[in-house]
Amino acid sequence: MKKILIISLIFNASIAMAQNSNESPTLKSVLLEQLKTTHTKKDWFVPVNVALEGLTAEQALWKDGSGNHSIAQLASHLIFWNGRLLAKFKGLTPEEFGGNNEETFLAYDKKSWDEVTKKLDSVFSEWEKLIEAADENKLKDWYASIANMNTHNAYHTGQIIYIRKLQGSWDADKGVK
């Protein structure tokens, strides 16, 4: 079922890209398009850079009181998983991880919020560069993981926007009413 979903996502992205270009889509172009639309390119949904734009440290640390994660914790989680997969893609051994996903939602303080947003942008940007430079054979081995990462990024970006709506800090002119 998971492979069918991934193939469907890639196929649908390929069709959309082909409609906007005279070139036939490749695995590289599809994965890169997915990453860019979750990072910086506003298209069908709001990318993470727009979702975080203008967010203060206080807003990033805010919690709704029902045990949900803060925006800062969601950003931490994205840095962790995108960074971990990035290390593996580069042939490095990621830091040891015990498997408790809750540990990936780190709590930050007001002073570190700017560093968090820069780190998140840096990890996404490095992914874009590596996918652009990768050959098709490597991408054939990695497409499922990269496509799932992109979907994961979009999911948590939606949560970030929802939290901003709850706290009244979301500007609907940025995309989601």
Side-chain angles (χ1 to χ4, degrees):
M1 182 70 169
K2 188 176 183 180
K3 285 199 179 220
I4 292 170
L5 176 61
I6 292 168
I7 291 168
S8 174
L9 286 170
I10 292 172
F11 178 74
N12 289 336
S14 298
I15 291 170
M17 288 176 61
Q19 291 171 344
N20 296 328
S21 170
N22 292 331
E23 295 179 27
S24 295
T26 63
L27 188 54
K28 179 186 292 195
S29 68
V30 171
L31 294 172
L32 194 57
E33 178 73 8
Q34 287 178 339
L35 183 59
K36 287 181 178 183
T37 59
T38 61
H39 179 209
T40 58
K41 183 180 175 187
K42 192 172 169 185
D43 198 350
W44 281 41
F45 49 86
V46 174
V48 73
N49 74 327
V50 174
L52 296 176
E53 192 175 80
L55 191 68
T56 67
E58 291 79 13
Q59 292 165 334
L61 297 170
W62 180 86
K63 288 187 168 193
D64 66 3
S66 64
N68 292 320
H69 297 113
S70 69
I71 292 171
Q73 288 174 308
L74 292 169
S76 164
H77 176 76
L78 289 175
I79 291 167
F80 178 86
W81 287 112
N82 281 266
R84 186 171 181 79
L85 194 61
L86 182 66
K88 289 179 180 180
F89 188 79
K90 291 165 55 174
L92 304 173
T93 302
E95 290 183 29
E96 197 163 317
F97 175 58
N100 181 355
N101 193 46
E102 279 304 309
E103 293 174 3
T104 69
F105 295 94
L106 300 178
Y108 289 100
D109 60 23
K110 291 177 186 177
K111 293 178 186 175
S112 61
W113 176 239
D114 283 340
E115 293 173 31
V116 172
T117 58
K118 287 176 186 169
K119 178 66 175 173
L120 185 60
D121 182 65
S122 173
V123 170
F124 276 57
S125 294
E126 188 170 358
W127 262 116
E128 289 175 18
K129 288 175 189 168
L130 288 175
I131 292 171
E132 185 66 45
D135 64 48
E136 288 290 319
N137 286 330
K138 183 166 187 171
L139 293 176
K140 284 179 186 175
D141 293 337
W142 280 88
Y143 79 90
S145 295
I146 296 168
N148 281 326
M149 176 188 71
N150 291 333
T151 304
H152 181 249
N153 293 339
Y155 169 75
H156 286 301
T157 300
Q159 287 182 304
I160 290 167
I161 294 167
Y162 182 73
I163 293 168
R164 291 195 71 175
K165 285 180 162 189
L166 286 176
Q167 66 185 207
S169 70
W170 180 246
D171 178 359
D173 290 337
K174 291 184 178 184
V176 181
K177 303 285 182 217

